Amino acid sequence: MAFKTRITEMLGIEHPIVQGGMQSVGYAELASAVSNAGGLGILTALTQPSPDALRAEIERCRAMTGKPFGVNMTVFPTINAPDYKAYAQAIIDGGVKIVETAGTQAVREIWEMLKPHGVTILHKCTAVRHALSAEKAGCDIISIDGFECAGHPGEDDIPGLILIPAAADKVKIPMLASGGFGDGRGLVAALSLGAEGINMGTRFCATVEAPIHDNVKQAYIENDERGSFLIFRNFKNTARVGRSPVSEEVARRLANPDAQFSDVQELVSGAAGRELLQTGDLSKGVFWAGMVQGLIHDIPTCQQLIDRIIGDAEAIIDRRLAGFRN
């Protein structure tokens, strides 16, 4: 049985499962594997060092899959901001028709560039009010991100069990549920709560095709649902990272009410994180990880993972839930 939703119809995919964009992880190897397995794989634009490199990565991904894939564009305030519009132009030039976005209000300039070219905009939000604003601005799909998620969960601390149906009560365009999803139980729950698919990040990091070191994948297995820290709360830029000696040290330093970003900068830099993912040396930096680590127990291929999620979801609906009815 296949799950047919507005998400599968709009994105032209077999299963309502999307691999979220992840910095230093969203390369062609992973994106193409997810797409080939029937989901939607997503390249991460800013993982590439330049717009020209993104153009090349789009072509590399297209050579690895004949199925739809997307590109993530995240716009956050940084010390040395990239040329976001040049990256957006590379997406347009590459003929990509699905773009996942996230970040500040400045992302609207990217939407304005993309929409005239027939691009479907999938926007990630951590609050109902932000989702409604994005819908009003013309976005096509909302990915609603619960507090459980890796990366930036926002500042409201609303878990998915509340956030997803609260958004579904008001948002009219299709929604993906994000944050804490990793198996068939989660997919059925998301559909029950009003979403029409799921967006997974951490779970796809723990797959054979994820282009990160096996030590990092093993850390996802060894950590449980308590295996993450919230950092940067002092700066109203909360981030969830995996538990490790380095993230413990970051949390310790930031516990000081007078802490400054400079106190942890060398531990949380993008360069340090990339080195960690490439070398597997967990002493080099921090790595993104959600609470879903408590549900990760193996390192399957993307095909095996997606097949299992769909099969388990079918069994839950056909047998477990059906068995509760008189």
Side-chain angles (χ1 to χ4, degrees), residues 22 148-150 179-185 199-208 210 212 214-228 242 287-301 305 308-309:
M22 294 173 283
E148 303 91 335
C149 72
F181 294 95
D183 59 24
R185 295 171 296 185
N199 184 318
M200 303 194 306
T202 303
R203 188 60 187 94
F204 276 123
C205 286
T207 58
V208 170
I212 60 179
D214 286 346
N215 289 353
V216 184
K217 298 178 185 182
Q218 188 61 35
Y220 290 124
I221 293 176
E222 293 175 358
N223 278 338
D224 61 15
E225 64 276 10
R226 301 165 297 169
S228 64
F287 60 96
W288 302 117
M291 290 181 174
V292 75
Q293 289 175 112
L295 305 179
I296 297 175
H297 308 298
D298 63 353
I299 311 292
T301 65
L305 176 61
R308 185 167 69 201
I309 290 172

Side-chain angles (χ1 to χ4, degrees), residues 241-260:
V241 297
R243 181 180 291 273
S244 71
V246 175
S247 63
E248 289 179 1
E249 175 62 16
V250 171
R252 187 191 68 78
R253 295 186 191 182
L254 293 179
N256 181 344
D258 298 321
Q260 303 295 317

Side-chain angles (χ1 to χ4, degrees), residues 224-246:
D224 61 15
E225 64 276 10
R226 301 165 297 169
S228 64
F229 280 108
L230 292 172
I231 60 175
F232 305 156
R233 305 221 87 175
N234 323 43
F235 317 126
K236 301 298 182 184
N237 188 29
T238 300
R240 187 183 297 281
V241 297
R243 181 180 291 273
S244 71
V246 175

Side-chain angles (χ1 to χ4, degrees), residues 87-169:
Y87 277 93
Q89 189 60 52
I91 293 170
I92 294 167
D93 294 344
V96 174
K97 294 302 182 183
I98 303 168
V99 174
E100 177 190 61
T101 62
T104 67
Q105 288 282 333
V107 77
R108 291 170 182 253
E109 297 180 19
I110 303 303
W111 298 345
E112 291 170 2
M113 287 183 65
L114 297 172
K115 290 300 286 183
H117 296 275
V119 175
T120 296
I121 303 294
L122 190 169
H123 188 59
K124 296 181 75 172
C125 303
T126 60
V128 176
R129 61 189 182 279
H130 299 157
L132 290 170
S133 177
E135 179 182 46
K136 185 176 180 180
C139 288
D140 303 288
I141 297 170
I142 296 297
S143 180
I144 195 77
D145 241 6
F147 183 59
E148 303 91 335
C149 72
H152 296 278
E155 307 304 319
D156 294 341
D157 300 359
I158 309 298
L161 191 61
I162 302 300
L163 184 62
I164 298 162
D169 284 345

Side-chain angles (χ1 to χ4, degrees), residues 25 52 61 72 86 113 175 191-192 212 238 265 282 294:
V25 180
D52 282 342
C61 192
N72 167 278
M113 287 183 65
M175 289 198 323
L191 297 175
S192 300
I212 60 179
T238 300
Q265 187 169 0
L282 299 185

